[in-house]
Amino acid sequence: MSGTTSKELIQKPAIGVPVQFYRRPLPGTCIDFTSSEGKVIFSEALASGYMECFFKLISQYRTQDEPAYCGITSLVMALNALEVDPGRVWKGPWRWYHESMLDCCTPLEIAQKKGINMVQFVCLSKCNGLHPFAVYGSDIMSLEHLREEVKRVTKREDVVFIVSYSRAMLGQTGDGHFSPIAGYHAGRDLVLILDTARFKYPPHWVKLGTLLDAMKTLDSDTGKPRGYVLLSIARDQFVPLLFRPSCELTVDLKKGNLSPELLKFDQEWKNWLQTEVFTPDTNKDNVVGLCIEQLITMTVQGHFKVGTLCLTLPFSMHYGEGEDVNFFIIECHKVLKPVAEMVYALKSLLMEMESTKTFQIIKHFLSTRSKRENDLFLNMVQCRSEPPEQRGEGRCQSQCCPQTSSQPGATANPESSECCGSCGSDCERSDAEESEHQTPEDQTCTCSFDIRTEHIATVFLFVWPHQSLSAGEVMSCSSKKNCLAECPMFDKANSDKGKAGKGENSSSSAMDCERHVSTEILTLSRENPQNLTVGDVLIDFLRSDIAATKGTYFKGEMHTMMTKFHEVLHYHCHHK
């Protein structure tokens, strides 16, 4: 039925029967990738060298699972194309990114209905081990500048170019959309869009100038223009091994739509840090004890009814007298990773954490307090939610894994239940490809790790944003021009030049600049040592303590967690 349109295939529906569609015809502004013309364009672009990004992306090309998942699916394609290990099981024994796993910055049920915007896209990419460089349409200096950026990226396979644009400007139905760019034809100034909504439009070529106009349209959710995001692997970003932010810490579509309890705690905590004066003659090591004392006081006053942390690995609870939880237990045999590798990583992380001055001070401090006060810190971990109906949803580990211990005084029974991602009886656990890599230790390991109150309190102090989150502390550059102009690292390196470089060097410098600024999370803000607040001393103490830590597991875990917490709280408290 060549030439038949979607409307011609649809008869007037009966009353109460929803309208159905089978795809949409591409408008005249777009050239079908699989058409004769599209194939010629592809071969010419391939010969010119501007299709290097194509092959890894096409190998991960997928159709979005939900009509509003274009941003989520574009990010999944980028993560798998860049070969980022999610550190979590998808199905069976396989670790692989899927839309259901991208639940860090916005609830999936909201993304499923309304999609995500660029702010949320950037947050999600950071939370999953990528370095995003976002440019809004209003900050694109010219078509020529955009063209040079496209040329640079399409010649590489270690950067993914994601565009956020209005379909209407391309003559397509609908409005806001995300998709990756997978190639460029210099002679005709065309870019290849791998449309994630393949049920609607096939991949197609479109004029770069038309796409630029589509990126400059306003997104009604943010009030800002759309744009593009360059994604690369964050070399200093670790996949969280033990902790991650709880499900309560999400970037919703609406600013400030965060748990009122968490917003109130954040405000009162920062106010206390900024007003409590730390006298110069006081031992700075005492700052940790002061902060733990204040956290206990605030918890007694009603804070932490909502957990701030989740455990990423299957866990059970160890109960003491009555129904009180003493600590959490991570059991190695329930984690579908090479166990020897996982045990080494967990052991290293905990040993590095326990070697810090912060941990040692907290442990000693809590040893002098009552069990009731110790147990208050267990409230920071979200762990008592009912499991969802469908196992394996991309939610907090505590929500999708039923607790394995329910009786006071009991410890976990290794055979009593399965956790999400665990193999059932039909799992291909004996797959020859996998079994040849397993060792006897992998198959029989029964070791476990205890996560106690001092571990939880230590993690909280290191990762919670203790400063007011101003634009200068965690900068997300809206354009390379602004980034290069504002970045102190760039200014220092180019003080003799007086201006930013051009072309490819300028772009790479901007990305390095943003990475440098975003990692400077712990900074001492006050210059006068006579007027230091507890917050000033705490931040300086934590920065020095983590810098002195040997090894990379704990540093990597804390850096990743800091990034996640900053992204979420910055959005809700200061996003405009």
Side-chain angles (χ1 to χ4, degrees):
M1 301 179 65
S2 177
T4 304
T5 66
S6 300
K7 291 183 179 180
E8 291 174 304
L9 290 173
I10 302 171
Q11 297 179 347
K12 187 175 181 180
I15 297 175
V17 178
V19 175
Q20 299 179 3
F21 296 95
Y22 179 74
R23 313 194 76 176
R24 291 284 196 185
L26 281 169
T29 57
C30 307
I31 302 170
D32 191 332
F33 176 66
T34 61
S35 67
S36 298
E37 184 181 7
K39 293 175 184 177
V40 171
I41 296 171
F42 173 76
S43 62
E44 292 174 353
L46 183 63
S48 69
Y50 293 121
M51 297 295 297
E52 289 301 310
C53 65
F54 173 81
F55 298 98
K56 285 197 171 184
L57 278 172
I58 202 66
S59 67
Q60 304 303 331
Y61 193 14
R62 58 181 287 113
T63 303
Q64 59 196 66
D65 279 357
E66 299 286 344
Y69 265 13
C70 56
I72 300 280
T73 300
S74 295
L75 184 54
V76 166
M77 285 177 60
L79 287 162
N80 288 329
L82 294 171
E83 301 178 356
V84 178
D85 184 344
R88 286 194 284 169
V89 169
W90 164 57
K91 289 184 180 180
W94 303 104
R95 300 198 303 273
W96 194 249
Y97 269 105
H98 183 266
E99 284 89 339
S100 62
M101 299 164 68
L102 300 186
D103 60 343
C104 170
C105 299
T106 189
L108 283 173
E109 53 269 26
I110 292 179
Q112 182 176 338
K113 296 177 182 178
K114 299 182 179 180
I116 60 175
N117 54 45
M118 274 187 58
V119 175
Q120 294 164 313
F121 185 91
V122 168
C123 177
L124 275 169
S125 62
K126 286 185 178 180
C127 285
N128 288 279
L130 293 179
H131 172 70
F133 179 66
V135 179
Y136 289 95
S138 57
D139 294 315
I140 299 175
M141 290 178 271
S142 65
L143 177 60
E144 291 73 22
H145 179 270
L146 177 62
R147 184 178 295 118
E148 290 304 311
E149 193 78 299
V150 169
K151 286 181 176 180
R152 182 179 68 86
V153 175
T154 53
K155 280 188 171 183
R156 303 171 60 172
E157 58 179 23
D158 60 341
V159 179
V160 176
F161 198 125
I162 305 293
V163 285
S164 172
Y165 60 99
S166 169
R167 284 190 181 278
M169 297 300 292
L170 273 60
Q172 300 174 355
T173 62
D175 194 13
H177 193 57
F178 284 88
S179 279
I181 284 181
Y184 175 70
H185 188 287
R188 299 180 60 174
D189 202 28
L190 296 167
V191 290
L192 175 61
I193 296 178
L194 294 184
D195 199 319
T196 58
R198 289 191 287 182
F199 51 82
K200 187 175 184 180
Y201 293 113
H204 48 273
W205 298 92
V206 66
K207 284 283 188 182
L208 184 60
T210 304
L211 183 60
L212 174 58
D213 292 338
M215 286 192 286
K216 289 190 173 184
T217 58
L218 289 181
D219 183 339
S220 58
D221 286 330
T222 63
K224 293 182 178 181
R226 297 177 170 89
Y228 66 86
V229 183
L230 304 183
L231 297 174
S232 57
I233 295 177
R235 301 297 177 185
D236 55 352
Q237 185 88 337
F238 284 59
V239 175
L241 178 63
L242 188 55
F243 289 100
R244 74 180 187 87
S246 76
C247 301
E248 299 294 336
L249 287 156
T250 59
V251 175
D252 204 340
L253 291 177
K254 187 176 181 181
K255 172 192 169 186
N257 193 9
L258 189 67
S259 165
E261 289 84 359
L262 289 180
L263 287 173
K264 182 180 179 181
F265 164 77
D266 183 61
Q267 181 179 7
E268 292 185 11
W269 174 247
K270 288 186 173 71
N271 287 341
W272 180 79
L273 289 175
Q274 293 165 8
T275 57
E276 189 75 11
V277 177
F278 196 90
T279 56
D281 58 342
T282 305
N283 186 342
K284 290 189 176 182
D285 288 4
N286 294 341
V287 70
V288 174
L290 284 173
C291 291
I292 296 299
E293 180 74 54
Q294 178 64 14
L295 287 173
I296 290 174
T297 300
M298 294 180 72
T299 306
V300 171
Q301 292 172 349
H303 290 287
F304 295 113
K305 292 179 180 179
V306 174
T308 59
L309 300 169
C310 273
L311 291 167
T312 63
L313 299 174
F315 67 91
S316 58
M317 302 176 191
H318 183 278
Y319 290 90
E321 297 179 0
E323 295 185 356
D324 294 335
V325 176
N326 282 345
F327 53 86
F328 304 106
I329 305 170
I330 304 295
E331 296 170 322
C332 303
H333 71 279
K334 292 185 178 177
V335 182
L336 287 179
K337 295 183 181 182
V339 176
E341 172 189 333
M342 187 274 297
V343 169
Y344 176 81
L346 266 180
K347 186 176 181 179
S348 298
L349 190 156
L350 292 173
M351 287 180 63
E352 291 168 14
M353 182 195 302
E354 292 166 5
S355 71
T356 63
K357 290 178 67 176
T358 303
F359 177 89
Q360 294 166 12
I361 293 171
I362 291 174
K363 183 178 181 180
H364 175 73
F365 182 88
L366 292 178
S367 70
T368 66
R369 309 305 291 254
S370 67
K371 181 182 182 303
R372 176 178 172 275
E373 290 175 321
N374 272 259
D375 290 349
L376 291 174
F377 288 95
L378 297 174
N379 294 329
M380 291 183 176
V381 178
Q382 186 181 41
C383 63
R384 293 173 177 81
S385 300
E386 292 297 324
E389 295 180 2
Q390 183 177 359
R391 185 174 298 167
E393 285 187 274
R395 296 188 180 183
C396 171
Q397 184 71 52
S398 59
Q399 287 185 308
C400 63
C401 284
Q403 64 187 55
T404 60
S405 173
S406 58
Q407 297 299 321
T411 56
N413 178 0
E415 305 300 329
S416 61
S417 68
E418 291 179 346
C419 279
C420 59
S422 295
C423 285
S425 58
D426 58 344
C427 177
E428 297 182 9
R429 189 184 291 273
S430 59
D431 189 305
E433 180 184 5
E434 294 299 304
S435 61
E436 67 181 21
H437 296 291
Q438 288 187 329
T439 66
E441 181 184 1
D442 291 332
Q443 299 173 13
T444 62
C445 176
T446 58
C447 69
S448 62
F449 294 91
D450 297 343
I451 308 301
R452 298 178 179 271
T453 54
E454 54 264 34
H455 295 102
I456 296 166
T458 299
V459 170
F460 178 85
L461 278 189
F462 272 111
V463 303
W464 192 268
H466 302 301
Q467 290 175 312
S468 296
L469 296 174
S470 62
E473 291 169 25
V474 183
M475 180 178 70
S476 294
C477 300
S478 57
S479 71
K480 286 183 282 295
K481 180 179 179 181
N482 292 340
C483 182
L484 290 170
E486 297 169 7
C487 179
M489 181 181 70
F490 179 84
D491 289 342
K492 182 178 181 181
N494 296 275
S495 57
D496 296 332
K497 298 179 182 179
K499 60 181 180 179
K502 297 181 180 180
E504 182 171 339
N505 291 333
S506 175
S507 299
S508 60
S509 297
M511 294 177 74
D512 290 340
C513 161
E514 185 180 4
R515 181 181 293 111
H516 169 75
V517 175
S518 65
T519 56
E520 290 297 318
I521 296 173
L522 298 176
T523 55
L524 189 58
S525 59
R526 302 294 182 98
E527 296 181 357
N528 186 353
Q530 301 300 318
N531 297 319
L532 291 178
T533 65
V534 170
D536 297 326
V537 178
L538 175 65
I539 291 166
D540 194 43
F541 182 90
L542 295 173
R543 180 184 61 182
S544 300
D545 196 17
I546 201 166
T549 305
K550 296 180 180 179
T552 59
Y553 286 96
F554 181 65
K555 288 180 181 178
E557 182 95 350
M558 293 303 97
H559 174 75
T560 301
M561 288 284 287
M562 279 188 263
T563 301
K564 293 176 185 288
F565 273 94
H566 273 75
E567 283 300 304
V568 174
L569 290 173
H570 186 266
Y571 176 85
H572 285 291
C573 300
H574 299 274
H575 175 61
K576 297 181 179 180

